[in-house]
Structures are given as structure tokens and as C-alpha cells.
Amino acid sequence: MAKIVVEQIPVLTDNYIYLLHEPESGATAVVDPAVTEPVLEHLAAKNWRLTHILNTHHHGDHTGGNIDLIKHTGCVVVGAARDSERIPGIGIEVGEGDTFMLGAAAAMVFEVPGHTSGHIAFWFPDSHALFCGDTLFSLGCGRLFEGTPEEMWRSLKKLRDLPAETLVYCGHEYTAANGRFARLVERDNQALHVRLEQVEKLRAKGRPTIPATLADERAANPFLRADMGSVARAVGMEPDAHPNLVFAELRRRKDVF
Ligand SMILES: [Zn+2]
């Protein structure tokens, strides 16, 4: 099976755009192009021709470059069928369980509502690469603009079940701020402390903390750990409290943190 090469482009304040290239066919996709110019510059530098845009959700800082990139390159936009009205220029509509082929590289599509109602994620199993937009962040998760805590927890569990070696390519560099909240929740979590040290070193050098591995996230991200007794206790609940309730309380506390 074909693997993809991933190029990470930091834009705006804290957004990441990703270029995905499948060398056998030359197919190239951009994930969540907030803007146009940096994408065109990177394509020119690599001598890659853009064939697709993959949108995880409709927010402007993930789709702002869609129409211009279509004009410049003739690429096709892949987005959620259930959000087709809000994805600018959508050409291929996908949903849960669909497979999208970037050349010879297969991506599975997951519906992960919560941040928005039509949020999707793309998983390239042969490259261990997950593009999850604003659903799962390193040490955090997206705000619930259009979904319930129950929906978001179900979405996060779906992503948590992917293989441990999965690389989590999320939409924003929020890790350090997320870590400050995570540390309040699980003071005694060793994995979290190791990750925080690593994050501090990377940010001091101006380097990205993304991608994170799913193994690290399972061990350190409180929003993937709402079914752990220690996390329930940390938000003032019984250790056997329902994870939906624990997750809702975690999200509420983070919103006002
Ligand atoms: Zn968003």
C-alpha cells in the first residue's frame, strides 16, 4: 500500500495546514487550507501539483483558501456530505466509513461531530496519519460549538481506538495552553509530565509539538481519559461517574479556564 509524505505549514496565529503527497501517482492534497499563498509557495518549492483539498470542517480558518486554490490549480474539494452546504466549492462528498483514495494511498473517513455537527477526520492507515481538524488536539479537544458533550466523547473514543502509533495531525498549535489545564486535572500523571517537558523544549526552540502520537495522547490527554477514575475524582465526581458527565465537566472547566 502507498504511503504519503506530509508537509506541515504553520499559518495565521496557531493554525496548521498539511500538504499530503503520494509519490507514486503524484497526487497531492492540502488539509484545511486557511489561506492560499503559503500553500502555493510550498507546492512550487516541492514541484507538486495540487489535486485535492481535504476539509475536516466548515470553519473559515480551515476552508478560507478553498475557492482561490480551486481557481489556481483546478483541484477538487473533499468534505462532509452532511455539511456540503457550508464547505466552499465541495466536489466529493464523504461520510462515515467511506474510503478516499489519494492516488494509491487510502484514507478512511470518520464522522466526529461535536466541535461542528459535520466534522470529519481522515485516517491514512498505511502512513499511521490522522488528520482530525479541531476534534482532538494534543492534550486537549475542540470547543463544542455545535454538539453535545456526549457526541464529542463518542467522537474522541472513536479516534482513541486507532492504533497507538497513529500520528495525530490536528488543526492548531494549542498544546502548551492545553497542558496547563491538563496539569491541574491530573497532577500525578507521569506521562503528562514527560509530555509537558517535551512540549516546553520544542516551543522554546519555536518548533511544533505536532504531530503527537496517539499512545502519548491516551496517556496524557485528560479529554481522552474521561473514563478514568482519577480524572473523575479530579473534577469532584465519584470514580465510577458516567464518562459522559465527567467529560462534560472537564469541557466546562476548560471553557472557563
Ligand atoms: Zn474549528
Side-chain angles (χ1 to χ4, degrees):
M1 289 300 268
K3 290 193 179 179
I4 52 167
V5 178
V6 180
E7 276 280 313
Q8 190 163 348
I9 313 174
V11 297
L12 307 179
T13 315
D14 48 38
N15 279 77
Y16 285 123
I17 296 176
Y18 301 102
L19 277 183
L20 320 183
H21 182 68
E22 194 280 281
E24 274 175 41
S25 65
T28 302
V30 61
V31 179
D32 287 351
V35 289
T36 309
E37 282 308 317
V39 176
L40 293 174
E41 282 164 20
H42 273 77
L43 287 167
K46 289 277 173 188
N47 205 16
W48 292 346
R49 194 178 68 81
L50 192 68
T51 54
H52 297 87
I53 292 172
L54 309 184
N55 285 137
T56 62
H57 66 298
H58 72 87
H59 286 157
D61 62 331
H62 296 255
T63 59
N66 278 20
I67 299 299
D68 261 5
L69 285 169
I70 295 170
K71 276 188 202 143
H72 276 95
T73 67
C75 66
V76 179
V77 175
V78 183
R82 67 151 75 188
D83 228 354
S84 57
E85 308 273 292
R86 301 194 290 182
I87 304 287
I90 191 166
I92 299 176
E93 300 183 11
V94 294
E96 179 74 24
D98 284 349
T99 299
F100 166 73
M101 296 301 297
L102 181 66
M108 275 184 67
V109 176
F110 301 114
E111 291 182 357
V112 284
H115 178 67
T116 67
S117 56
H119 203 302
I120 55 174
F122 296 89
W123 175 50
F124 291 78
D126 300 322
S127 303
H128 307 298
L130 173 69
F131 299 90
C132 54
D134 292 355
T135 298
L136 171 63
F137 293 127
S138 183
L139 303 181
C141 75
R143 280 179 186 265
L144 306 182
F145 289 119
E146 300 174 8
T148 63
E150 293 75 16
E151 277 177 313
M152 189 58 144
W153 173 239
R154 202 178 314 129
S155 296
L156 289 172
K157 274 194 297 182
K158 203 184 279 185
L159 301 182
R160 188 178 69 173
D161 284 345
L162 294 174
E165 65 270 30
T166 302
L167 297 168
V168 179
Y169 292 95
C170 56
H172 292 270
E173 179 61 63
Y174 286 162
T175 318
N178 287 338
R180 286 191 282 279
F181 176 77
R183 189 162 45 194
L184 287 185
V185 178
E186 285 194 292
R187 275 186 199 84
D188 302 327
N189 182 333
Q190 256 322 105
L192 175 60
H193 287 289
V194 170
R195 174 72 174 141
L196 287 173
E197 268 173 36
Q198 187 186 50
V199 167
E200 208 169 296
K201 280 186 193 146
L202 287 168
R203 294 314 285 160
K205 293 183 205 152
R207 285 171 52 195
T209 65
I210 307 301
T213 69
L214 196 55
D216 283 351
E217 291 304 310
R218 281 183 200 152
N221 185 337
F223 292 94
L224 292 185
R225 297 167 57 78
D227 48 3
M228 303 288 290
S230 55
V231 173
R233 259 195 304 267
V235 294
M237 295 182 168
E238 294 296 321
D240 60 350
H242 197 287
N244 282 347
L245 301 176
V246 176
F247 179 82
E249 179 60 13
L250 267 179
R251 191 57 258 180
R252 191 193 67 75
R253 290 186 181 207
K254 178 65 166 54
D255 285 344
V256 298
F257 177 64

